[in-house]
Amino acid sequence: MPLVSMRQVLDAAAEGGYGVGAFNVNNMEQIQGIMEAARDTGSPVIAQASRGARAYAGDRFLLHLMLAAAEEYPEIPVVLHQDHGNSPETCLSAIELGFTSVMMDGSLMEDAKTPADFEYNVTVTREVVDYAHARGVTVEGELGTLGGIEDGVGSGEVNLVDPDQAVEFVARTGVDALAVAIGTSHGAYKFSREPDGDILAMNLIEEVHRRLPDTHLVMHGSSSVPADLVQRINAAGGQMTAGFGVPVEQIQRGIRHGVRKINVDTDGRLAITAAVREALVGQPDEWDPRHASRAARQGMREVVAERMRQFGQAGHAADIVPLSLRDMSERYATAALA
């Protein structure tokens, strides 16, 4: 199956009432782990690459790994998404490379650190939407800012989404999906205590969904940071402390109120690190790097499969009948004329 537009996947998720995990990729083992999890669960896949991942792996290596994944798992619909594009140029370069979805994060300036004003966000996001939709590519935008910094992205402060601005933003930009800041953070140190309504504003998701029932919502920074993974890392010689992550039941609450894409990165990193540490400690005389790499792949596979089941996407790979990006561009053009 060719790489598909994220809009197709999110439309199917909305119709079916489930969410779809978006898992960050940097290398072959992560991609293989995600694809094996998708086959295990019969799930569609959103694989996303940050600017840091593109720099680490190299654009061509990353693209061809994803094309190989689509070829090796023909029954699985696969989206390749640019995560946190810091400028129109970043998003346009991803589209030209072959990404089928991009995020224009205009909530921050091009340095990916300084919070931007609303008009800047609208302007840069609209520029990307016009370019992307003409080529059948999905666009995600963001309102508000997340806490934490990951891969050099983040202001380090939380600015919650304004539902009034959300309505205006979607109308003026035409985005396919909207990431809404509700108090989550990048990284493993999201909350210092179990999050409640004072620090995780799920009510804002419900309000935005009430006003924009046809817009796909996105939760960023939604790893659950399982304590058992941190314990495994430390039992194998690590020295890690972590706060609380986003409880799965809160993500499921979001899914009931329009959340269709859930970004998960930290949980995959923790699972890989735990598996690799255990493999090296368990067989200290093993010198073949494939020993640790196989463990990494299996760690990713297990945590991703668990999230796919929890988000409800398991069993829904067959929901998506792939359209070419040309067909998608024609669909966008027809919608614009209506």
Side-chain angles (χ1 to χ4, degrees), residues 109-148:
M109 299 297 290
E110 190 170 344
D111 64 5
K113 292 179 173 58
T114 307
D117 63 37
F118 182 73
E119 288 301 322
Y120 171 87
N121 196 352
V122 168
T123 298
V124 294
T125 304
R126 181 76 233 188
E127 179 182 345
V128 172
V129 168
D130 288 342
Y131 188 89
H133 283 186
R135 292 157 178 81
V137 172
T138 305
V139 180
E140 173 188 338
E142 180 166 87
L143 276 179
T145 59
L146 280 69

Side-chain angles (χ1 to χ4, degrees), residues 330-338:
E330 291 174 357
R331 180 175 289 188
Y332 283 126
T334 301
L337 292 172

Side-chain angles (χ1 to χ4, degrees), residues 40 48 162 249 265 302:
D40 293 342
Q48 56 186 23
D162 179 336
E249 58 268 22
D265 185 13
E302 290 172 359

Side-chain angles (χ1 to χ4, degrees), residues 190 222-227 243-248 251 264 267 307 310:
K190 300 182 188 304
S222 292
S223 285
S224 296
V225 193
F244 292 89
V246 181
V248 170
I251 296 171
V264 177
D267 286 352
R307 295 292 173 267
Q310 291 166 334

Side-chain angles (χ1 to χ4, degrees), residues 81-207:
H81 176 74
Q82 168 72 62
D83 190 25
H84 285 288
N86 66 314
S87 68
E89 290 73 22
T90 296
C91 293
L92 271 53
S93 72
I95 294 168
E96 291 304 312
L97 183 64
F99 282 56
T100 56
S101 179
V102 295
M103 179 197 183
M104 179 60 237
D105 186 0
S107 69
L108 300 172
M109 299 297 290
E110 190 170 344
D111 64 5
K113 292 179 173 58
T114 307
D117 63 37
F118 182 73
E119 288 301 322
Y120 171 87
N121 196 352
V122 168
T123 298
V124 294
T125 304
R126 181 76 233 188
E127 179 182 345
V128 172
V129 168
D130 288 342
Y131 188 89
H133 283 186
R135 292 157 178 81
V137 172
T138 305
V139 180
E140 173 188 338
E142 180 166 87
L143 276 179
T145 59
L146 280 69
I149 297 173
E150 188 171 82
D151 269 2
V153 174
S155 65
E157 60 187 70
V158 174
N159 294 295
L160 300 181
V161 64
D162 179 336
D164 290 330
Q165 282 192 338
V167 174
E168 181 181 354
F169 184 80
V170 170
R172 291 177 62 185
T173 61
V175 290
D176 301 283
L178 179 64
V180 289
I182 57 168
T184 57
S185 297
H186 288 132
Y189 310 96
K190 300 182 188 304
F191 308 110
S192 58
R193 60 181 173 86
E194 188 78 25
D196 55 23
D198 291 334
I199 55 175
L200 185 62
M202 296 301 297
N203 62 300
L204 288 177
I205 282 180
E206 295 172 4
E207 179 62 17

Side-chain angles (χ1 to χ4, degrees), residues 265-281:
D265 185 13
T266 298
D267 286 352
R269 296 185 189 212
L270 293 175
I272 287 171
T273 299
V276 168
R277 280 186 174 274
E278 289 170 345
L280 295 176
V281 170

